[in-house]
Amino acid sequence: MSHDAPPRTVRAMLKWFKDDRGFGFMSSTEIAQDLFVHAAIIRRSRIQLRFDEVYEVSYAFGEKGPTVTSIKAVQTEYVTGTVERYYARRGYGFISCAEIGKVYVHKSVLDAANIPVLARNQHVKVRLSDAKPRPRAIAIRI
């Protein structure tokens, strides 16, 4: 692993993990690439990863791309919203949440939740990042 740059931190969710192989990948809407995660890092973090939870992960760039170096659980709540519009061909859309306003949602968030597409006026629950200038959905439930 390269030690040239300090580790970066993002919020991510478990995409898949193979217990028999001891590794998997996490996805984040904050970076384009998936993050490689090894079982040793999970053990060292003393948490059990779940597919529907958000984690704060530090990563560094290794020989095979971004590699998780530490994981922390993040306590985040879901907020309720209504789909304003979703552009399936473009892979993004917007959800209106009463207490927050307009929230950006990317196709990768839908993919992580196994949701193929969103419909206008559909009610959803989303977890949010604190991205600027507008909050982004980092997890979604129907």
Side-chain angles (χ1 to χ4, degrees):
M1 192 167 309
S2 172
H3 296 286
D4 298 347
R8 300 172 183 168
T9 303
V10 295
R11 289 190 177 196
M13 294 179 72
L14 185 62
K15 188 172 186 177
W16 62 264
F17 191 84
K18 300 259 186 200
D19 285 323
D20 59 329
R21 309 264 323 263
F23 72 90
F25 286 88
M26 299 182 84
S27 64
S28 173
T29 59
E30 298 175 46
I31 63 170
Q33 292 177 282
D34 287 340
L35 302 151
F36 175 82
V37 61
H38 192 273
I41 298 298
I42 298 168
R43 281 192 302 274
R44 188 171 68 210
S45 299
R46 296 184 177 178
I47 58 175
Q48 183 172 350
L49 293 183
R50 295 170 40 123
F51 286 98
D52 61 346
E53 295 296 323
V54 177
Y55 301 93
E56 184 174 282
V57 299
S58 295
Y59 70 95
F61 284 94
E63 294 173 11
K64 297 181 180 181
T67 302
V68 174
T69 57
S70 70
I71 305 169
K72 288 194 292 185
V74 174
Q75 299 297 324
T76 57
E77 298 294 322
Y78 280 89
V79 295
T80 302
T82 304
V83 177
E84 280 187 15
R85 59 187 173 264
Y86 183 73
Y87 305 104
R89 293 165 112 192
R90 295 180 183 165
Y92 72 92
F94 298 95
I95 296 167
S96 178
C97 297
E99 52 284 335
I100 293 134
K102 194 181 288 189
V103 174
Y104 174 84
V105 62
H106 188 265
K107 181 184 181 314
S108 62
V109 174
L110 274 65
D111 291 345
N114 292 319
I115 299 171
V117 70
L118 295 174
R120 187 179 193 107
N121 296 322
Q122 182 176 15
H123 295 287
V124 296
K125 292 189 177 197
V126 292
R127 282 189 177 164
L128 306 173
S129 75
D130 53 3
K132 303 292 182 217
R134 150 179 313 135
R136 299 175 66 128
I138 56 174
I140 189 166
R141 289 183 181 163
I142 302 282

